[in-house]
Amino acid sequence: SFPTRRSFDLLYHGPFPAIVWLFLKTYLREFSMSFLSLVMLVINLFLLYLLLRKISIMAAFEEKKAIWARYVILVVYGLGIPYFLPGKMFVYETSITFGSTFMLAAQLLFLEYVRESAKAKLLKKEAIILFFTGLFISFAFLSRINLLLGFIPFVGFFIWNEWTINKEKIRDFVGSWFLFTCFMLPICISLVCFGFYNVARFGNPVDFGVKHLITSSDDDNARLKTGKATSIHYGLLNVMQATILLPYFDTKPSYVNYTAPPWLVGPFPRLKNVEYGGSLFFSSPLLLLIFAVPIFWKK
């Protein structure tokens, strides 16, 4: 049996973490899912530090400011999601760990593509970098399907970068299209594989298991089964909840709190439980990078 008390979590999470664990379990018999999650978190922190280092070098920040900023952000990030996840180690947390780690790896590789494209020398090298960027994005959404949205900013920056290069007559459209194909190939293949995986489970390639989930709340159950959790109205409320809620601070735990408006927690179908109400601009360790911009800024 899968090592979690919430077996239904398997329904709406991708298969990649379980595949990796089963592979390691075959050859390393004492390799537990909890230990795998811990290893991935260590890799996660290491990748974040490399990402910050590459950004500071590419932007030519002052070395003394950059090194301190890297360590400060690394510690802040480490006290956020990675600090919370090792205490639980269920399937849900493992999928978050895998998804976050592979998205960081994809970002690191994508910056390498940007650096190489500025040289405009080896198209083959850029193609390989973009292929593995797409592969890591695939591993991310094969762990958590919502991370598929992460490829959108990658595509946006790719188009902007290639448009700039083409405008400067450094590369032609055919070369850019070749690179885009290399980037999208693993993503498309992974989506097809995910579709077959869903067909094998539920007979529908776009059924990711959410409506089959059993939760502890009758209201949540009804909301999921009737499809209200995926309605446009629900999505818009999520966007509002994630962007406009402002915090107030207290000297007692949990220190940072949010005033829940009536539309956030109300009659069925409710958006979230009151204890989960919070704006991602103050809840996400990654977005704390925004507050580090003044440290990097050069006159």
Side-chain angles (χ1 to χ4, degrees):
S1 63
F2 205 83
T4 174
R5 71 181 185 186
R6 299 184 298 179
S7 59
F8 283 98
D9 279 356
L10 287 169
L11 291 175
Y12 67 100
H13 291 301
F16 190 69
I19 291 172
V20 173
W21 177 75
L22 288 171
F23 176 80
L24 294 171
K25 187 71 173 176
T26 302
Y27 298 99
L28 303 171
R29 298 190 181 280
E30 300 303 320
F31 205 96
S32 67
M33 177 64 83
S34 297
F35 186 71
L36 174 60
S37 298
L38 192 59
V39 170
M40 291 299 290
L41 285 170
V42 173
I43 297 173
N44 189 297
L45 287 170
F46 179 67
L47 289 176
L48 178 69
Y49 179 78
L50 292 181
L51 183 64
L52 292 171
R53 184 174 185 272
K54 183 175 286 291
I55 291 172
S56 63
I57 291 173
M58 290 178 68
F61 297 129
E62 293 180 26
E63 183 59 26
K64 289 184 178 180
K65 291 183 179 180
I67 188 66
W68 280 108
R70 288 199 295 265
Y71 280 115
V72 167
I73 296 169
L74 182 69
V75 170
V76 170
Y77 179 67
L79 291 174
I81 292 176
Y83 181 78
F84 166 76
L85 292 179
K88 302 182 77 174
M89 294 301 184
F90 297 129
V91 176
Y92 178 75
E93 285 78 24
T94 302
S95 69
I96 294 174
T97 304
F98 268 72
S100 173
T101 302
F102 283 110
M103 286 301 286
L104 284 173
Q107 293 174 49
L108 195 61
L109 278 178
F110 192 79
L111 283 180
E112 187 63 24
Y113 146 73
V114 173
R115 191 177 70 86
E116 289 295 325
S117 66
K119 301 177 183 178
K121 292 181 179 179
L122 297 174
L123 190 65
K124 182 179 178 181
K125 186 175 182 180
E126 292 176 48
I128 294 173
I129 292 172
L130 283 171
F131 175 83
F132 280 99
T133 301
L135 185 64
F136 285 146
I137 293 174
S138 300
F139 289 160
F141 72 71
L142 282 171
S143 303
R144 297 194 77 204
I145 185 58
N146 59 306
L147 290 177
L148 177 61
L149 296 173
F151 95 98
I152 295 176
F154 282 94
V155 171
F157 280 112
F158 174 84
I159 292 173
W160 176 79
N161 190 60
E162 290 298 312
W163 179 79
T164 303
I165 292 173
N166 278 266
K167 188 177 179 181
E168 296 173 355
K169 309 282 186 200
I170 298 174
R171 182 151 57 224
D172 57 17
F173 175 78
V174 175
S176 297
W177 183 256
F178 170 70
L179 292 177
F180 183 71
T181 302
C182 292
F183 172 67
M184 289 300 299
L185 183 63
I187 294 176
C188 293
I189 293 174
S190 298
L191 279 173
V192 171
C193 292
F194 213 142
F196 280 115
Y197 175 67
N198 290 335
V199 168
R201 298 190 298 167
F202 307 117
N204 187 338
V206 294
D207 188 343
F208 295 96
V210 175
K211 65 181 181 182
H212 305 281
L213 179 66
I214 294 178
T215 69
S216 58
S217 167
D218 292 337
D219 283 352
D220 288 344
N221 253 331
R223 176 164 52 82
L224 290 169
K225 290 184 180 297
T226 55
K228 293 185 182 296
T230 54
S231 68
I232 295 176
H233 178 66
Y234 181 83
L236 290 175
L237 289 180
N238 267 286
V239 172
M240 292 173 64
Q241 177 260 331
T243 56
I244 68 173
L245 291 189
L246 296 177
Y248 65 89
F249 301 93
D250 199 346
T251 56
K252 300 177 181 179
S254 58
Y255 305 113
V256 181
N257 301 285
Y258 302 86
T259 302
W263 51 260
L264 176 62
V265 180
F268 172 82
R270 62 185 178 179
L271 182 67
K272 286 185 178 293
N273 296 322
V274 65
E275 64 267 25
Y276 298 144
S279 171
L280 59 83
F281 288 104
F282 296 93
S283 302
S284 170
L286 275 179
L287 286 167
L288 286 173
L289 291 172
I290 295 173
F291 299 101
V293 170
I295 301 176
F296 292 118
W297 194 263
K298 289 183 65 176
K299 294 182 180 179

